[in-house]
Amino acid sequence: SHLSPSKSCAMLRASSLLLACLAAVQAFNAPMAFSPKGSLASSLASKPLVAAAPVSQRSFALDALQMSCTKDTRGYKMPMRKQCMLLKKRANNAMAVSFSHIRTHKTQSVNLQWKRIYWPEGNCYVKLRISTKAIKTLKTKPLNELAAKAGLDLKKHRCG
């Protein structure tokens, strides 16, 4: 019983799909129900491949997924929105006007910088993502006052 190249290719694809499913299930340590009798399609249709994993394993998988999806910059997690931590400045919606006066929407983003600032009350440095306007404001107003107004806990942003 010699198979034609197209049938053997289809069987190879089906078996590689099955192996990929088995590897994915094994990676999450979930028990699996699989019947060797019958064809691949009948076993997939008749029984669920993956049984429900225990809660501890599901929470671990969720933590791993969240860790892989967050962006880590210089050891600090980026805030969700691109905004200044002290002045709460964020992007402005504006119009770009061409020479022929065609208007298109654009955003004017904030110039944000990671800045290490000395905090006299805490006797340490804090690392904040602030706008260049906030850097200029820090020359006239104390850090504690700006942080209190923004509702920012400086203890969470200590360096080292």
Side-chain angles (χ1 to χ4, degrees), residues 85-121:
M85 290 179 163
L86 289 179
L87 299 181
K88 302 293 182 188
K89 284 182 163 287
R90 55 180 192 240
N92 179 43
N93 292 322
M95 289 287 206
V97 182
S98 69
F99 182 72
S100 61
H101 210 68
I102 295 173
R103 295 175 176 204
T104 54
H105 292 276
K106 73 169 189 173
T107 57
Q108 295 169 337
S109 56
V110 186
N111 187 3
L112 294 175
Q113 309 291 325
W114 278 106
K115 198 77 175 156
R116 198 170 147 262
I117 307 159
Y118 184 72
W119 178 34
E121 285 80 4

PDB file of all heavy atoms in Angstrom, residues 85-121:
ATOM      1  N   MET A  85       4.590  61.654  35.031  1.00  0.00           N
ATOM      2  CA  MET A  85       4.191  61.188  36.358  1.00  0.00           C
ATOM      3  C   MET A  85       3.890  62.338  37.308  1.00  0.00           C
ATOM      4  O   MET A  85       3.096  62.169  38.230  1.00  0.00           O
ATOM      5  CB  MET A  85       5.287  60.305  36.947  1.00  0.00           C
ATOM      6  CG  MET A  85       5.452  58.979  36.288  1.00  0.00           C
ATOM      7  SD  MET A  85       6.804  58.083  37.070  1.00  0.00           S
ATOM      8  CE  MET A  85       6.500  56.433  36.522  1.00  0.00           C
ATOM      9  N   LEU A  86       4.510  63.500  37.107  1.00  0.00           N
ATOM     10  CA  LEU A  86       4.324  64.626  38.024  1.00  0.00           C
ATOM     11  C   LEU A  86       3.226  65.595  37.584  1.00  0.00           C
ATOM     12  O   LEU A  86       2.410  66.019  38.382  1.00  0.00           O
ATOM     13  CB  LEU A  86       5.638  65.393  38.197  1.00  0.00           C
ATOM     14  CG  LEU A  86       6.735  64.683  38.982  1.00  0.00           C
ATOM     15  CD1 LEU A  86       7.977  65.545  39.050  1.00  0.00           C
ATOM     16  CD2 LEU A  86       6.268  64.329  40.378  1.00  0.00           C
ATOM     17  N   LEU A  87       3.207  65.958  36.310  1.00  0.00           N
ATOM     18  CA  LEU A  87       2.237  66.950  35.836  1.00  0.00           C
ATOM     19  C   LEU A  87       1.036  66.328  35.132  1.00  0.00           C
ATOM     20  O   LEU A  87       0.107  67.050  34.747  1.00  0.00           O
ATOM     21  CB  LEU A  87       2.924  67.946  34.886  1.00  0.00           C
ATOM     22  CG  LEU A  87       4.059  68.768  35.485  1.00  0.00           C
ATOM     23  CD1 LEU A  87       4.617  69.716  34.439  1.00  0.00           C
ATOM     24  CD2 LEU A  87       3.598  69.547  36.699  1.00  0.00           C
ATOM     25  N   LYS A  88       1.064  65.022  34.914  1.00  0.00           N
ATOM     26  CA  LYS A  88      -0.008  64.282  34.239  1.00  0.00           C
ATOM     27  C   LYS A  88      -0.251  64.782  32.817  1.00  0.00           C
ATOM     28  O   LYS A  88      -1.363  64.688  32.314  1.00  0.00           O
ATOM     29  CB  LYS A  88      -1.323  64.328  35.044  1.00  0.00           C
ATOM     30  CG  LYS A  88      -1.234  63.779  36.440  1.00  0.00           C
ATOM     31  CD  LYS A  88      -0.993  62.299  36.423  1.00  0.00           C
ATOM     32  CE  LYS A  88      -0.944  61.743  37.824  1.00  0.00           C
ATOM     33  NZ  LYS A  88      -0.533  60.359  37.847  1.00  0.00           N
ATOM     34  N   LYS A  89       0.783  65.317  32.177  1.00  0.00           N
ATOM     35  CA  LYS A  89       0.651  65.755  30.786  1.00  0.00           C
ATOM     36  C   LYS A  89       0.617  64.525  29.893  1.00  0.00           C
ATOM     37  O   LYS A  89       1.336  63.559  30.123  1.00  0.00           O
ATOM     38  CB  LYS A  89       1.846  66.621  30.375  1.00  0.00           C
ATOM     39  CG  LYS A  89       1.805  68.021  30.915  1.00  0.00           C
ATOM     40  CD  LYS A  89       3.011  68.778  30.395  1.00  0.00           C
ATOM     41  CE  LYS A  89       2.830  70.248  30.545  1.00  0.00           C
ATOM     42  NZ  LYS A  89       1.890  70.824  29.622  1.00  0.00           N
ATOM     43  N   ARG A  90      -0.212  64.570  28.843  1.00  0.00           N
ATOM     44  CA  ARG A  90      -0.257  63.477  27.874  1.00  0.00           C
ATOM     45  C   ARG A  90      -0.504  64.034  26.474  1.00  0.00           C
ATOM     46  O   ARG A  90      -0.615  65.242  26.297  1.00  0.00           O
ATOM     47  CB  ARG A  90      -1.305  62.448  28.253  1.00  0.00           C
ATOM     48  CG  ARG A  90      -2.698  62.965  28.455  1.00  0.00           C
ATOM     49  CD  ARG A  90      -3.606  61.807  28.828  1.00  0.00           C
ATOM     50  NE  ARG A  90      -4.988  62.211  28.751  1.00  0.00           N
ATOM     51  CZ  ARG A  90      -5.807  62.186  29.765  1.00  0.00           C
ATOM     52  NH1 ARG A  90      -5.376  61.788  30.948  1.00  0.00           N
ATOM     53  NH2 ARG A  90      -7.055  62.550  29.627  1.00  0.00           N
ATOM     54  N   ALA A  91      -0.576  63.166  25.488  1.00  0.00           N
ATOM     55  CA  ALA A  91      -0.629  63.579  24.085  1.00  0.00           C
ATOM     56  C   ALA A  91      -1.853  64.446  23.795  1.00  0.00           C
ATOM     57  O   ALA A  91      -2.921  64.253  24.364  1.00  0.00           O
ATOM     58  CB  ALA A  91      -0.630  62.362  23.182  1.00  0.00           C
ATOM     59  N   ASN A  92      -1.659  65.400  22.890  1.00  0.00           N
ATOM     60  CA  ASN A  92      -2.714  66.320  22.474  1.00  0.00           C
ATOM     61  C   ASN A  92      -3.143  65.978  21.054  1.00  0.00           C
ATOM     62  O   ASN A  92      -2.309  65.718  20.195  1.00  0.00           O
ATOM     63  CB  ASN A  92      -2.169  67.759  22.538  1.00  0.00           C
ATOM     64  CG  ASN A  92      -3.194  68.772  22.107  1.00  0.00           C
ATOM     65  OD1 ASN A  92      -4.345  68.680  22.487  1.00  0.00           O
ATOM     66  ND2 ASN A  92      -2.774  69.732  21.305  1.00  0.00           N
ATOM     67  N   ASN A  93      -4.462  65.981  20.796  1.00  0.00           N
ATOM     68  CA  ASN A  93      -4.966  65.767  19.443  1.00  0.00           C
ATOM     69  C   ASN A  93      -4.886  67.073  18.682  1.00  0.00           C
ATOM     70  O   ASN A  93      -5.367  68.102  19.156  1.00  0.00           O
ATOM     71  CB  ASN A  93      -6.404  65.270  19.469  1.00  0.00           C
ATOM     72  CG  ASN A  93      -6.496  63.873  20.029  1.00  0.00           C
ATOM     73  OD1 ASN A  93      -5.631  63.051  19.764  1.00  0.00           O
ATOM     74  ND2 ASN A  93      -7.522  63.600  20.810  1.00  0.00           N
ATOM     75  N   ALA A  94      -4.285  67.042  17.501  1.00  0.00           N
ATOM     76  CA  ALA A  94      -4.100  68.258  16.725  1.00  0.00           C
ATOM     77  C   ALA A  94      -4.358  67.959  15.258  1.00  0.00           C
ATOM     78  O   ALA A  94      -4.656  66.832  14.875  1.00  0.00           O
ATOM     79  CB  ALA A  94      -2.681  68.791  16.921  1.00  0.00           C
ATOM     80  N   MET A  95      -4.245  69.007  14.438  1.00  0.00           N
ATOM     81  CA  MET A  95      -4.415  68.875  12.994  1.00  0.00           C
ATOM     82  C   MET A  95      -3.107  69.242  12.302  1.00  0.00           C
ATOM     83  O   MET A  95      -2.468  70.222  12.680  1.00  0.00           O
ATOM     84  CB  MET A  95      -5.499  69.825  12.488  1.00  0.00           C
ATOM     85  CG  MET A  95      -6.893  69.440  12.898  1.00  0.00           C
ATOM     86  SD  MET A  95      -7.432  68.022  11.979  1.00  0.00           S
ATOM     87  CE  MET A  95      -9.178  68.247  12.037  1.00  0.00           C
ATOM     88  N   ALA A  96      -2.741  68.461  11.307  1.00  0.00           N
ATOM     89  CA  ALA A  96      -1.625  68.823  10.440  1.00  0.00           C
ATOM     90  C   ALA A  96      -2.234  69.452   9.194  1.00  0.00           C
ATOM     91  O   ALA A  96      -3.065  68.828   8.531  1.00  0.00           O
ATOM     92  CB  ALA A  96      -0.818  67.591  10.078  1.00  0.00           C
ATOM     93  N   VAL A  97      -1.841  70.678   8.886  1.00  0.00           N
ATOM     94  CA  VAL A  97      -2.411  71.392   7.749  1.00  0.00           C
ATOM     95  C   VAL A  97      -1.361  71.447   6.641  1.00  0.00           C
ATOM     96  O   VAL A  97      -0.265  71.976   6.836  1.00  0.00           O
ATOM     97  CB  VAL A  97      -2.858  72.816   8.151  1.00  0.00           C
ATOM     98  CG1 VAL A  97      -3.502  73.527   6.978  1.00  0.00           C
ATOM     99  CG2 VAL A  97      -3.819  72.759   9.320  1.00  0.00           C
ATOM    100  N   SER A  98      -1.715  70.915   5.470  1.00  0.00           N
ATOM    101  CA  SER A  98      -0.775  70.891   4.348  1.00  0.00           C
ATOM    102  C   SER A  98      -0.802  72.239   3.617  1.00  0.00           C
ATOM    103  O   SER A  98      -1.592  73.128   3.932  1.00  0.00           O
ATOM    104  CB  SER A  98      -1.139  69.768   3.385  1.00  0.00           C
ATOM    105  OG  SER A  98      -2.357  70.084   2.728  1.00  0.00           O
ATOM    106  N   PHE A  99       0.052  72.358   2.602  1.00  0.00           N
ATOM    107  CA  PHE A  99       0.128  73.600   1.810  1.00  0.00           C
ATOM    108  C   PHE A  99      -1.197  73.851   1.092  1.00  0.00           C
ATOM    109  O   PHE A  99      -1.618  74.995   0.933  1.00  0.00           O
ATOM    110  CB  PHE A  99       1.277  73.482   0.787  1.00  0.00           C
ATOM    111  CG  PHE A  99       1.459  74.713  -0.041  1.00  0.00           C
ATOM    112  CD1 PHE A  99       1.998  75.864   0.513  1.00  0.00           C
ATOM    113  CD2 PHE A  99       1.079  74.741  -1.377  1.00  0.00           C
ATOM    114  CE1 PHE A  99       2.158  77.013  -0.248  1.00  0.00           C
ATOM    115  CE2 PHE A  99       1.245  75.873  -2.142  1.00  0.00           C
ATOM    116  CZ  PHE A  99       1.791  77.011  -1.576  1.00  0.00           C
ATOM    117  N   SER A 100      -1.870  72.772   0.665  1.00  0.00           N
ATOM    118  CA  SER A 100      -3.170  72.929   0.001  1.00  0.00           C
ATOM    119  C   SER A 100      -4.322  72.982   1.009  1.00  0.00           C
ATOM    120  O   SER A 100      -5.483  72.863   0.638  1.00  0.00           O
ATOM    121  CB  SER A 100      -3.393  71.787  -0.984  1.00  0.00           C
ATOM    122  OG  SER A 100      -3.404  70.559  -0.298  1.00  0.00           O
ATOM    123  N   HIS A 101      -3.986  73.127   2.276  1.00  0.00           N
ATOM    124  CA  HIS A 101      -4.939  73.278   3.384  1.00  0.00           C
ATOM    125  C   HIS A 101      -5.760  72.010   3.650  1.00  0.00           C
ATOM    126  O   HIS A 101      -6.873  72.069   4.166  1.00  0.00           O
ATOM    127  CB  HIS A 101      -5.856  74.486   3.150  1.00  0.00           C
ATOM    128  CG  HIS A 101      -6.308  75.108   4.439  1.00  0.00           C
ATOM    129  ND1 HIS A 101      -5.450  75.768   5.292  1.00  0.00           N
ATOM    130  CD2 HIS A 101      -7.526  75.156   5.032  1.00  0.00           C
ATOM    131  CE1 HIS A 101      -6.125  76.210   6.340  1.00  0.00           C
ATOM    132  NE2 HIS A 101      -7.387  75.848   6.202  1.00  0.00           N
ATOM    133  N   ILE A 102      -5.223  70.865   3.295  1.00  0.00           N
ATOM    134  CA  ILE A 102      -5.876  69.592   3.643  1.00  0.00           C
ATOM    135  C   ILE A 102      -5.485  69.279   5.079  1.00  0.00           C
ATOM    136  O   ILE A 102      -4.301  69.254   5.414  1.00  0.00           O
ATOM    137  CB  ILE A 102      -5.428  68.465   2.694  1.00  0.00           C
ATOM    138  CG1 ILE A 102      -5.908  68.750   1.284  1.00  0.00           C
ATOM    139  CG2 ILE A 102      -5.941  67.109   3.181  1.00  0.00           C
ATOM    140  CD1 ILE A 102      -5.372  67.787   0.248  1.00  0.00           C
ATOM    141  N   ARG A 103      -6.496  69.028   5.902  1.00  0.00           N
ATOM    142  CA  ARG A 103      -6.248  68.784   7.323  1.00  0.00           C
ATOM    143  C   ARG A 103      -6.292  67.294   7.627  1.00  0.00           C
ATOM    144  O   ARG A 103      -7.230  66.605   7.253  1.00  0.00           O
ATOM    145  CB  ARG A 103      -7.285  69.510   8.173  1.00  0.00           C
ATOM    146  CG  ARG A 103      -7.189  70.993   8.057  1.00  0.00           C
ATOM    147  CD  ARG A 103      -8.298  71.667   8.799  1.00  0.00           C
ATOM    148  NE  ARG A 103      -8.115  73.112   8.746  1.00  0.00           N
ATOM    149  CZ  ARG A 103      -8.614  73.936   9.645  1.00  0.00           C
ATOM    150  NH1 ARG A 103      -9.318  73.480  10.651  1.00  0.00           N
ATOM    151  NH2 ARG A 103      -8.412  75.229   9.525  1.00  0.00           N
ATOM    152  N   THR A 104      -5.284  66.810   8.328  1.00  0.00           N
ATOM    153  CA  THR A 104      -5.241  65.418   8.784  1.00  0.00           C
ATOM    154  C   THR A 104      -4.963  65.416  10.275  1.00  0.00           C
ATOM    155  O   THR A 104      -4.280  66.300  10.790  1.00  0.00           O
ATOM    156  CB  THR A 104      -4.144  64.621   8.049  1.00  0.00           C
ATOM    157  OG1 THR A 104      -2.908  65.305   8.190  1.00  0.00           O
ATOM    158  CG2 THR A 104      -4.471  64.451   6.579  1.00  0.00           C
ATOM    159  N   HIS A 105      -5.505  64.409  10.943  1.00  0.00           N
ATOM    160  CA  HIS A 105      -5.326  64.310  12.396  1.00  0.00           C
ATOM    161  C   HIS A 105      -3.919  63.840  12.736  1.00  0.00           C
ATOM    162  O   HIS A 105      -3.354  62.995  12.053  1.00  0.00           O
ATOM    163  CB  HIS A 105      -6.335  63.331  12.995  1.00  0.00           C
ATOM    164  CG  HIS A 105      -7.742  63.817  12.930  1.00  0.00           C
ATOM    165  ND1 HIS A 105      -8.271  64.655  13.868  1.00  0.00           N
ATOM    166  CD2 HIS A 105      -8.719  63.600  12.019  1.00  0.00           C
ATOM    167  CE1 HIS A 105      -9.523  64.936  13.558  1.00  0.00           C
ATOM    168  NE2 HIS A 105      -9.822  64.293  12.432  1.00  0.00           N
ATOM    169  N   LYS A 106      -3.367  64.398  13.788  1.00  0.00           N
ATOM    170  CA  LYS A 106      -2.079  63.945  14.310  1.00  0.00           C
ATOM    171  C   LYS A 106      -2.089  64.131  15.824  1.00  0.00           C
ATOM    172  O   LYS A 106      -2.944  64.825  16.367  1.00  0.00           O
ATOM    173  CB  LYS A 106      -0.924  64.709  13.680  1.00  0.00           C
ATOM    174  CG  LYS A 106      -0.785  66.133  14.150  1.00  0.00           C
ATOM    175  CD  LYS A 106       0.532  66.708  13.689  1.00  0.00           C
ATOM    176  CE  LYS A 106       0.772  68.057  14.346  1.00  0.00           C
ATOM    177  NZ  LYS A 106       2.091  68.571  14.048  1.00  0.00           N
ATOM    178  N   THR A 107      -1.142  63.501  16.492  1.00  0.00           N
ATOM    179  CA  THR A 107      -1.020  63.696  17.942  1.00  0.00           C
ATOM    180  C   THR A 107       0.296  64.392  18.237  1.00  0.00           C
ATOM    181  O   THR A 107       1.318  64.070  17.630  1.00  0.00           O
ATOM    182  CB  THR A 107      -1.062  62.357  18.703  1.00  0.00           C
ATOM    183  OG1 THR A 107      -0.034  61.527  18.219  1.00  0.00           O
ATOM    184  CG2 THR A 107      -2.397  61.671  18.568  1.00  0.00           C
ATOM    185  N   GLN A 108       0.244  65.319  19.147  1.00  0.00           N
ATOM    186  CA  GLN A 108       1.445  65.979  19.635  1.00  0.00           C
ATOM    187  C   GLN A 108       1.813  65.289  20.948  1.00  0.00           C
ATOM    188  O   GLN A 108       1.175  65.512  21.968  1.00  0.00           O
ATOM    189  CB  GLN A 108       1.179  67.466  19.861  1.00  0.00           C
ATOM    190  CG  GLN A 108       0.863  68.207  18.587  1.00  0.00           C
ATOM    191  CD  GLN A 108       0.347  69.597  18.834  1.00  0.00           C
ATOM    192  OE1 GLN A 108      -0.170  69.909  19.900  1.00  0.00           O
ATOM    193  NE2 GLN A 108       0.456  70.445  17.821  1.00  0.00           N
ATOM    194  N   SER A 109       2.824  64.435  20.882  1.00  0.00           N
ATOM    195  CA  SER A 109       3.170  63.644  22.063  1.00  0.00           C
ATOM    196  C   SER A 109       4.043  64.446  23.022  1.00  0.00           C
ATOM    197  O   SER A 109       4.670  65.427  22.639  1.00  0.00           O
ATOM    198  CB  SER A 109       3.873  62.350  21.656  1.00  0.00           C
ATOM    199  OG  SER A 109       4.992  62.657  20.873  1.00  0.00           O
ATOM    200  N   VAL A 110       4.055  64.014  24.258  1.00  0.00           N
ATOM    201  CA  VAL A 110       4.813  64.683  25.311  1.00  0.00           C
ATOM    202  C   VAL A 110       6.271  64.228  25.248  1.00  0.00           C
ATOM    203  O   VAL A 110       6.549  63.063  24.973  1.00  0.00           O
ATOM    204  CB  VAL A 110       4.217  64.335  26.697  1.00  0.00           C
ATOM    205  CG1 VAL A 110       4.882  65.119  27.800  1.00  0.00           C
ATOM    206  CG2 VAL A 110       2.729  64.579  26.713  1.00  0.00           C
ATOM    207  N   ASN A 111       7.192  65.133  25.513  1.00  0.00           N
ATOM    208  CA  ASN A 111       8.615  64.805  25.535  1.00  0.00           C
ATOM    209  C   ASN A 111       8.946  64.227  26.912  1.00  0.00           C
ATOM    210  O   ASN A 111       9.239  64.954  27.857  1.00  0.00           O
ATOM    211  CB  ASN A 111       9.430  66.070  25.245  1.00  0.00           C
ATOM    212  CG  ASN A 111      10.896  65.788  25.082  1.00  0.00           C
ATOM    213  OD1 ASN A 111      11.324  64.643  25.133  1.00  0.00           O
ATOM    214  ND2 ASN A 111      11.675  66.826  24.896  1.00  0.00           N
ATOM    215  N   LEU A 112       8.880  62.903  27.025  1.00  0.00           N
ATOM    216  CA  LEU A 112       9.086  62.222  28.310  1.00  0.00           C
ATOM    217  C   LEU A 112      10.526  61.732  28.440  1.00  0.00           C
ATOM    218  O   LEU A 112      11.117  61.251  27.486  1.00  0.00           O
ATOM    219  CB  LEU A 112       8.143  61.032  28.435  1.00  0.00           C
ATOM    220  CG  LEU A 112       6.656  61.361  28.523  1.00  0.00           C
ATOM    221  CD1 LEU A 112       5.842  60.092  28.510  1.00  0.00           C
ATOM    222  CD2 LEU A 112       6.340  62.177  29.751  1.00  0.00           C
ATOM    223  N   GLN A 113      11.063  61.869  29.631  1.00  0.00           N
ATOM    224  CA  GLN A 113      12.431  61.461  29.931  1.00  0.00           C
ATOM    225  C   GLN A 113      12.438  60.686  31.253  1.00  0.00           C
ATOM    226  O   GLN A 113      11.728  61.053  32.175  1.00  0.00           O
ATOM    227  CB  GLN A 113      13.348  62.690  30.104  1.00  0.00           C
ATOM    228  CG  GLN A 113      13.283  63.699  28.992  1.00  0.00           C
ATOM    229  CD  GLN A 113      13.885  63.191  27.698  1.00  0.00           C
ATOM    230  OE1 GLN A 113      14.849  62.445  27.723  1.00  0.00           O
ATOM    231  NE2 GLN A 113      13.311  63.586  26.585  1.00  0.00           N
ATOM    232  N   TRP A 114      13.253  59.639  31.305  1.00  0.00           N
ATOM    233  CA  TRP A 114      13.505  58.986  32.590  1.00  0.00           C
ATOM    234  C   TRP A 114      14.522  59.842  33.326  1.00  0.00           C
ATOM    235  O   TRP A 114      15.601  60.118  32.809  1.00  0.00           O
ATOM    236  CB  TRP A 114      14.071  57.581  32.395  1.00  0.00           C
ATOM    237  CG  TRP A 114      13.026  56.553  32.109  1.00  0.00           C
ATOM    238  CD1 TRP A 114      12.782  55.968  30.910  1.00  0.00           C
ATOM    239  CD2 TRP A 114      12.090  56.003  33.024  1.00  0.00           C
ATOM    240  NE1 TRP A 114      11.748  55.078  31.020  1.00  0.00           N
ATOM    241  CE2 TRP A 114      11.303  55.079  32.308  1.00  0.00           C
ATOM    242  CE3 TRP A 114      11.825  56.203  34.378  1.00  0.00           C
ATOM    243  CZ2 TRP A 114      10.282  54.347  32.902  1.00  0.00           C
ATOM    244  CZ3 TRP A 114      10.808  55.470  34.967  1.00  0.00           C
ATOM    245  CH2 TRP A 114      10.043  54.562  34.239  1.00  0.00           C
ATOM    246  N   LYS A 115      14.170  60.315  34.523  1.00  0.00           N
ATOM    247  CA  LYS A 115      15.034  61.246  35.252  1.00  0.00           C
ATOM    248  C   LYS A 115      15.223  60.758  36.678  1.00  0.00           C
ATOM    249  O   LYS A 115      14.262  60.360  37.353  1.00  0.00           O
ATOM    250  CB  LYS A 115      14.374  62.633  35.250  1.00  0.00           C
ATOM    251  CG  LYS A 115      15.283  63.756  35.568  1.00  0.00           C
ATOM    252  CD  LYS A 115      16.147  64.110  34.382  1.00  0.00           C
ATOM    253  CE  LYS A 115      16.955  65.338  34.724  1.00  0.00           C
ATOM    254  NZ  LYS A 115      18.154  65.423  33.934  1.00  0.00           N
ATOM    255  N   ARG A 116      16.465  60.799  37.135  1.00  0.00           N
ATOM    256  CA  ARG A 116      16.802  60.437  38.520  1.00  0.00           C
ATOM    257  C   ARG A 116      16.896  61.736  39.306  1.00  0.00           C
ATOM    258  O   ARG A 116      17.771  62.557  39.065  1.00  0.00           O
ATOM    259  CB  ARG A 116      18.136  59.703  38.500  1.00  0.00           C
ATOM    260  CG  ARG A 116      18.423  58.904  39.721  1.00  0.00           C
ATOM    261  CD  ARG A 116      19.649  58.033  39.471  1.00  0.00           C
ATOM    262  NE  ARG A 116      20.395  57.881  40.693  1.00  0.00           N
ATOM    263  CZ  ARG A 116      21.458  58.577  41.030  1.00  0.00           C
ATOM    264  NH1 ARG A 116      21.929  59.509  40.221  1.00  0.00           N
ATOM    265  NH2 ARG A 116      22.063  58.364  42.171  1.00  0.00           N
ATOM    266  N   ILE A 117      15.963  61.950  40.241  1.00  0.00           N
ATOM    267  CA  ILE A 117      15.843  63.221  40.964  1.00  0.00           C
ATOM    268  C   ILE A 117      16.076  62.971  42.448  1.00  0.00           C
ATOM    269  O   ILE A 117      15.575  61.991  43.008  1.00  0.00           O
ATOM    270  CB  ILE A 117      14.436  63.821  40.750  1.00  0.00           C
ATOM    271  CG1 ILE A 117      14.114  63.914  39.253  1.00  0.00           C
ATOM    272  CG2 ILE A 117      14.307  65.177  41.391  1.00  0.00           C
ATOM    273  CD1 ILE A 117      12.653  64.010  38.961  1.00  0.00           C
ATOM    274  N   TYR A 118      16.804  63.889  43.092  1.00  0.00           N
ATOM    275  CA  TYR A 118      17.038  63.756  44.536  1.00  0.00           C
ATOM    276  C   TYR A 118      15.791  64.188  45.295  1.00  0.00           C
ATOM    277  O   TYR A 118      15.213  65.249  45.050  1.00  0.00           O
ATOM    278  CB  TYR A 118      18.243  64.593  44.971  1.00  0.00           C
ATOM    279  CG  TYR A 118      18.567  64.392  46.432  1.00  0.00           C
ATOM    280  CD1 TYR A 118      19.121  63.206  46.873  1.00  0.00           C
ATOM    281  CD2 TYR A 118      18.291  65.385  47.364  1.00  0.00           C
ATOM    282  CE1 TYR A 118      19.402  63.006  48.208  1.00  0.00           C
ATOM    283  CE2 TYR A 118      18.564  65.195  48.704  1.00  0.00           C
ATOM    284  CZ  TYR A 118      19.118  63.992  49.121  1.00  0.00           C
ATOM    285  OH  TYR A 118      19.378  63.801  50.455  1.00  0.00           O
ATOM    286  N   TRP A 119      15.366  63.370  46.249  1.00  0.00           N
ATOM    287  CA  TRP A 119      14.186  63.639  47.078  1.00  0.00           C
ATOM    288  C   TRP A 119      14.684  63.915  48.496  1.00  0.00           C
ATOM    289  O   TRP A 119      15.041  62.990  49.231  1.00  0.00           O
ATOM    290  CB  TRP A 119      13.263  62.428  47.019  1.00  0.00           C
ATOM    291  CG  TRP A 119      12.031  62.518  47.842  1.00  0.00           C
ATOM    292  CD1 TRP A 119      11.295  63.619  48.124  1.00  0.00           C
ATOM    293  CD2 TRP A 119      11.360  61.421  48.483  1.00  0.00           C
ATOM    294  NE1 TRP A 119      10.215  63.288  48.886  1.00  0.00           N
ATOM    295  CE2 TRP A 119      10.232  61.943  49.120  1.00  0.00           C
ATOM    296  CE3 TRP A 119      11.605  60.055  48.567  1.00  0.00           C
ATOM    297  CZ2 TRP A 119       9.355  61.158  49.844  1.00  0.00           C
ATOM    298  CZ3 TRP A 119      10.725  59.266  49.272  1.00  0.00           C
ATOM    299  CH2 TRP A 119       9.610  59.814  49.905  1.00  0.00           C
ATOM    300  N   PRO A 120      14.741  65.192  48.908  1.00  0.00           N
ATOM    301  CA  PRO A 120      15.317  65.540  50.219  1.00  0.00           C
ATOM    302  C   PRO A 120      14.569  64.931  51.407  1.00  0.00           C
ATOM    303  O   PRO A 120      15.193  64.508  52.381  1.00  0.00           O
ATOM    304  CB  PRO A 120      15.239  67.064  50.274  1.00  0.00           C
ATOM    305  CG  PRO A 120      14.852  67.522  48.929  1.00  0.00           C
ATOM    306  CD  PRO A 120      14.322  66.360  48.170  1.00  0.00           C
ATOM    307  N   GLU A 121      13.222  64.871  51.349  1.00  0.00           N
ATOM    308  CA  GLU A 121      12.443  64.329  52.473  1.00  0.00           C
ATOM    309  C   GLU A 121      12.717  62.842  52.685  1.00  0.00           C
ATOM    310  O   GLU A 121      12.719  62.349  53.807  1.00  0.00           O
ATOM    311  CB  GLU A 121      10.939  64.554  52.249  1.00  0.00           C
ATOM    312  CG  GLU A 121      10.489  65.985  52.469  1.00  0.00           C
ATOM    313  CD  GLU A 121      10.774  66.886  51.270  1.00  0.00           C
ATOM    314  OE1 GLU A 121      11.265  66.383  50.219  1.00  0.00           O
ATOM    315  OE2 GLU A 121      10.527  68.096  51.378  1.00  0.00           O
TER     316      GLU A 121
END
